[in-house]
Amino acid sequence: MSGREVLLDTETTGLDPLAGHRILEICCLELRNHVPTGRVLHRLLDPGRDVDPEAERIHGFTRAALIGKPAFAEIVDELLAFLADDPIVAHNAPFDLAFLNAELARLDLPPIAAARAIDTVKLARERFPGLPASLDALCRRFGIDTSMRTTHNALLDCQLLAEVYLQLRGGRQPGLGLAAPPRLRLRAMSAAPSERRTPRPIVPSAAELTAHRAFVATIPNALWARLMPELYGPQAEG
């Protein structure tokens, strides 16, 4: 397996694609082993309709600001190539997939299967049952800085969600543990005696021992003196 996933976020003209609402911003961010690679697809779109006032309040995009941007049909090939056949990670994935599939249906293109989606809201509720699962709440829980998030923005939300998703998956990239991989451990254990490293004991000099005894003598009830009286007790002096 490649370990590739695509993190997706959209902003829309309203809440219901069945009522004719459209995508006006889309962002895809490539992950490998849950970590961003730096590859991003980010597009503002002309939705071809007005933006609901409540939606405008949330993301800040006006109809006038989007006139002249490409239509969804103009970027669909680029988008599908970026998504490829890999899992899609989204916060409240059913919302984003509903809008994406509505856009695809307008172009007589096949929908994206729900089975491809990884919903970070669902992951958060499984890990923190009964606690808020909004993106802001999860950022606070994981100590992720949201000071730049004054309005919803697909690119910034993707960047924040990438950090949240990594934490929900365990907080580190798979394969970056400190322990040696099993194959290397087995190889070390099975090596011939002549290939194994010989321990090199560190032996202090007489001067170092004398200096350390003097140091230990300054410590009341020193552990060294109690455990090794032959080295640190009064009889060891001189």
Side-chain angles (χ1 to χ4, degrees):
M1 295 179 62
S2 68
R4 184 179 189 266
E5 300 162 312
V6 178
L7 199 148
L8 169 74
D9 189 55
T10 64
E11 298 297 341
T12 62
T13 63
L15 296 178
D16 188 0
L18 298 179
H21 288 291
R22 307 286 300 273
I23 294 174
L24 57 79
E25 183 186 23
I26 190 164
C27 184
C28 298
L29 189 151
E30 183 184 67
L31 307 176
R32 293 275 181 184
N33 294 323
H34 313 325
V35 174
T37 65
R39 284 194 66 208
V40 175
L41 173 66
H42 178 224
R43 297 288 181 267
L44 289 176
L45 304 173
D46 186 342
R49 59 156 292 156
D50 290 337
V51 180
D52 276 8
E54 182 62 18
E56 182 181 324
R57 185 188 67 80
I58 292 171
H59 51 58
F61 291 110
T62 65
R63 176 75 182 98
L66 298 168
I67 293 175
K69 302 297 182 184
F72 183 86
E74 297 175 66
I75 62 97
V76 66
D77 291 339
E78 181 184 25
L79 172 64
L80 293 176
F82 195 99
L83 293 174
D85 295 320
D86 296 302
I88 297 171
V89 181
H91 201 65
N92 192 13
F95 178 89
D96 293 291
L97 283 191
F99 271 92
L100 190 52
N101 284 335
E103 297 285 359
L104 294 173
R106 289 185 179 93
L107 302 174
D108 294 322
L109 292 171
I112 292 175
R116 285 180 59 183
I118 299 171
D119 186 2
T120 48
V121 171
K122 182 179 178 182
L123 292 179
R125 287 175 175 163
E126 290 172 351
R127 183 166 174 185
F128 305 108
L131 295 179
S134 69
L135 183 57
D136 282 332
L138 291 171
C139 285
R140 287 193 296 270
R141 193 164 299 137
F142 292 125
I144 297 168
D145 181 15
T146 60
S147 58
M148 297 292 290
R149 194 177 190 242
T150 54
T151 59
H152 286 229
N153 170 287
L155 177 58
L156 178 58
D157 285 359
C158 271
Q159 293 167 338
L160 294 173
L161 185 57
E163 296 186 58
V164 166
Y165 180 56
L166 181 62
Q167 294 297 326
L168 289 172
R169 287 302 196 188
R172 65 179 178 84
Q173 184 176 6
L176 292 186
L178 296 178
R183 184 177 298 175
L184 294 181
R185 291 200 297 267
L186 288 172
R187 182 177 176 184
M189 289 188 289
S190 62
S194 60
E195 296 177 347
R196 295 175 188 161
R197 293 185 61 185
T198 302
R200 296 177 60 188
I202 299 174
V203 180
S205 67
E208 289 170 334
L209 278 174
T210 299
H212 197 256
R213 287 192 188 103
F215 168 72
V216 170
T218 66
I219 303 174
N221 198 26
L223 183 62
W224 287 294
R226 287 188 283 120
L227 295 181
M228 294 180 285
E230 69 281 4
L231 289 178
Y232 296 101
Q235 71 274 20
E237 296 296 333

